[in-house]
Amino acid sequence: MKKICLLLLLTVFLILGACSSNDAATTTKGEETKQTATEDTKNNAVKQKEEDVGTAEQEETAANEDAYGPAENFLTEEEKKEGFKYRDDFGGTRDYGFGYNDEVGIDGTDNPLKPVKFGPVNMTIENVTVADIIPNSDTASMFDDRDRVRAVIMTVKIENTSDQDVSFFPDSSVMTTDSGEQVDADSWMSNDTGGDMLGKVKKEGQIWYVLKDEKADIKKVKFVIDPPYLTDSMDDLGQQKRLEFEILDPKAAKKKDGQ
């Protein structure tokens, strides 16, 4: 499972002024003026430092804004309480749940993952994550300008172990949920995991499925993946796969993973 974390970094700059004296001989009055100016500079610097530091909460907010954009202004207090964190590349995000399937080796143990085999083509599912997203202005159009979305994201590695050219399109697969939805993979959000694989090549990336109901309480999802085929002859390599995953909330997932 991949966790999203925020890097907190705060740097405070103090700019100290400098006073210069005339080239003429320094008088007692000049020394007093210089001393007063120096003290004023130090006092201003201390005052500025106190204003810059602020409370621990203010420091954290400032750091988040520097690293990830206007977090304080983007998310409401209620959304923060719901567990949303700000990400500059998406907007507000939080983990809804994680998928488990013994057949592919995602079972809460450290045992190796088990590739899904289609003849000479191996597809390894590294993880299945369900995420909630509050799109920002840069990503809103990717989600049809919806205020909030719930998406299932499958991360895969694919390998053609043969010398033959094959065509495989897992990024055109279909997902169903126990809440009654049938969703096509989102080609806009998904990486280039499908297409022709010429000889012994590998591909990897994410396949996205954006749910129509952002409030759907899903406990199971099923991926329906058509087999690859030989590019020249169009002959199928293996059978269609239907892989069902149990979705556990983050707390239950940590317990299953022994954390």
Side-chain angles (χ1 to χ4, degrees), residues 68-117:
Y68 293 97
E72 184 69 18
N73 298 328
F74 183 81
L75 295 173
T76 66
E77 290 301 319
E78 183 61 31
E79 289 166 345
K80 292 176 185 177
K81 290 179 181 179
E82 291 179 53
F84 283 93
K85 304 292 184 182
Y86 187 79
R87 279 184 52 172
D88 189 50
D89 54 348
F90 275 110
T93 64
R94 71 172 180 184
D95 293 329
Y96 171 87
F98 301 94
Y100 291 85
N101 175 296
D102 291 346
E103 183 181 350
V104 302
I106 303 179
D107 53 9
T109 71
D110 292 329
N111 294 329
L113 298 173
K114 305 172 185 176
V116 180
K117 295 183 178 296

Side-chain angles (χ1 to χ4, degrees), residues 225-240:
I225 304 171
D226 287 332
Y229 55 86
L230 293 174
T231 305
D232 292 337
S233 65
M234 304 289 286
D235 292 336
D236 285 343
L237 297 169
Q239 303 294 319
Q240 182 188 81

Side-chain angles (χ1 to χ4, degrees), residues 28-249:
T28 303
K29 183 177 180 180
E31 290 290 346
E32 292 176 351
T33 302
K34 182 177 180 180
Q35 182 178 359
T36 301
T38 302
E39 290 177 352
D40 289 343
T41 301
K42 290 181 178 179
N43 290 336
N44 288 336
V46 172
K47 182 179 179 181
Q48 185 62 43
K49 181 177 180 181
E50 292 174 346
E51 292 176 351
D52 286 346
V53 172
T55 65
E57 182 178 353
Q58 290 170 336
E59 290 180 26
E60 181 177 350
T61 298
N64 289 345
E65 290 176 355
D66 287 342
Y68 293 97
E72 184 69 18
N73 298 328
F74 183 81
L75 295 173
T76 66
E77 290 301 319
E78 183 61 31
E79 289 166 345
K80 292 176 185 177
K81 290 179 181 179
E82 291 179 53
F84 283 93
K85 304 292 184 182
Y86 187 79
R87 279 184 52 172
D88 189 50
D89 54 348
F90 275 110
T93 64
R94 71 172 180 184
D95 293 329
Y96 171 87
F98 301 94
Y100 291 85
N101 175 296
D102 291 346
E103 183 181 350
V104 302
I106 303 179
D107 53 9
T109 71
D110 292 329
N111 294 329
L113 298 173
K114 305 172 185 176
V116 180
K117 295 183 178 296
F118 298 92
V121 178
N122 295 330
M123 184 179 76
T124 301
I125 300 176
E126 296 195 308
N127 60 66
V128 172
T129 303
V130 185
D132 288 334
I133 301 168
I134 301 175
N136 60 19
S137 58
D138 293 330
T139 58
S141 61
M142 300 179 184
F143 300 105
D144 297 326
D145 294 318
R146 294 167 59 182
D147 293 333
R148 185 180 294 198
V149 296
R150 178 162 290 168
V152 180
I153 306 155
M154 178 168 57
T155 303
V156 301
K157 286 186 176 181
I158 303 167
E159 180 180 10
N160 177 14
T161 64
S162 74
D163 293 321
Q164 295 178 296
D165 297 346
V166 303
S167 299
F168 190 31
F169 298 93
D171 53 351
S172 296
S173 56
V174 176
M175 182 194 72
T176 63
T177 72
D178 61 336
S179 63
E181 286 197 39
Q182 178 174 315
V183 185
D184 293 332
D186 190 314
S187 58
W188 179 260
M189 294 298 300
S190 299
N191 302 131
D192 183 21
T193 55
D196 295 333
M197 303 183 72
L198 309 179
K200 294 181 177 180
V201 296
K202 299 177 182 179
K203 289 189 175 186
E204 60 182 276
Q206 294 181 336
I207 303 173
W208 282 62
Y209 307 82
V210 180
L211 300 179
K212 300 178 181 69
D213 182 3
E214 70 277 4
K215 297 181 180 179
D217 182 21
I218 57 175
K219 302 300 181 185
K220 291 182 180 180
V221 298
K222 182 185 295 182
F223 301 104
V224 182
I225 304 171
D226 287 332
Y229 55 86
L230 293 174
T231 305
D232 292 337
S233 65
M234 304 289 286
D235 292 336
D236 285 343
L237 297 169
Q239 303 294 319
Q240 182 188 81
K241 301 291 185 181
R242 299 193 175 207
L243 305 170
E244 186 172 86
F245 284 74
E246 179 186 16
I247 304 299
L248 300 181
D249 62 59

